[in-house]
Amino acid sequence: NVDCYSAFYDNSGLKSTGMTKLLREARISDVYVCGVAFDYCVGSTAVDSAKEGFNTFIVEDATESISSGSKRKMQKRLDEAGVESVHSSVLLTKVEGDKRQIAAEYFKKKKIMPLLQKLTALVLHHKPENPKKFLIDELTKMKESKVNVEDISSSLLGDDDLEVVFQTADVAGSGKIGSSQCKQALLSMGIPIGEIKPVVDENDKKATYALDDFKKLAIQ
């Protein structure tokens, strides 16, 4: 057992809990911290969250300190880390015109992510010297073939695209990739992942994924 004040690292600051990876995979950008105690677990978590690059806030009316002395010390660390305080009433009030919410709704409505996944797969396969020109050319081809953006869905990730990404991850050319390579390949296409169920190779007892296994994970 290892003592951890922070949800991100142990008390030595050397061993990660895996929290950063989980938040990145879920595409989380903002972290709000509350609970007890402000001067220990809450503050330490907020400081490490900010260091990891997240927009970090402490919900000021949803936390409490153990002592005034340690509270002042923690507040100094939070200020230096750029952590801000926010009242819960602000979070519970719907803000009209929230730019991030508007952007999220636009991405969903226009099905932007499948398009980006398609383009990412093509770039990974062709590795063009001039990626900008390559992407412009690909978008031009889509326009000329009259692809309706409104109809774009995950079907843009066709078998050929998934095979390209799989082959890129299968550097040994064995026809199988490990859990780490599989997760990285999925993330490279913008597909968020949690825990993926391993397919155990009966010969070496290692978790591996063949092309068909990878395709199932990519389109599920």
Side-chain angles (χ1 to χ4, degrees), residues 26-172:
R27 301 192 186 119
I28 301 298
S29 62
D30 295 1
V31 173
Y32 295 84
V33 190
C34 60
V36 291
F38 171 86
D39 34 0
Y40 290 95
C41 298
V42 173
S44 296
T45 295
V47 168
D48 285 341
S49 172
K51 287 181 179 178
E52 290 297 318
F54 298 102
N55 301 318
T56 307
F57 307 84
I58 285 185
V59 186
E60 59 188 12
D61 58 319
T63 184
E64 190 57 76
S65 300
I66 292 178
S67 72
S68 58
S70 55
K71 178 181 180 179
R72 286 193 296 271
K73 291 179 180 178
M74 179 54 73
Q75 187 60 61
K76 182 179 180 181
R77 290 180 59 197
L78 292 167
D79 291 341
E80 291 173 347
V83 177
E84 298 182 32
S85 295
V86 64
H87 196 275
S88 62
S89 61
V90 175
L91 303 178
L92 297 174
T93 302
K94 184 177 180 181
V95 179
E96 296 295 335
D98 185 288
K99 291 183 178 180
R100 285 174 296 182
Q101 184 61 34
I102 292 174
E105 292 173 356
Y106 175 80
F107 264 60
K108 182 177 180 180
K109 180 180 179 180
K110 299 299 183 180
K111 299 182 174 67
I112 301 296
M113 284 310 300
L115 175 61
L116 295 179
Q117 292 165 3
K118 169 81 171 181
L119 295 173
T120 299
L122 291 171
V123 170
L124 283 172
H125 175 54
H126 294 284
K127 296 181 176 62
E129 289 295 326
N130 189 334
K132 182 177 180 180
K133 182 180 184 302
F134 175 82
L135 290 171
I136 291 174
D137 290 343
E138 289 301 319
L139 288 169
T140 300
K141 290 178 185 177
M142 289 183 187
K143 181 179 179 180
E144 291 175 348
S145 61
K146 297 182 180 179
V147 173
N148 187 349
V149 177
E150 294 295 332
D151 295 331
I152 290 176
S153 67
S154 58
S155 62
L156 268 180
L157 287 172
D159 283 351
D160 290 343
D161 300 320
L162 295 174
E163 188 169 348
V164 165
V165 177
F166 180 84
Q167 290 173 349
T168 302
D170 181 21
V171 292

Side-chain angles (χ1 to χ4, degrees), residues 9-20:
Y9 289 96
D10 65 1
N11 288 345
S12 69
L14 300 175
K15 185 176 179 59
S16 171
T17 64
M19 179 62 74
T20 299

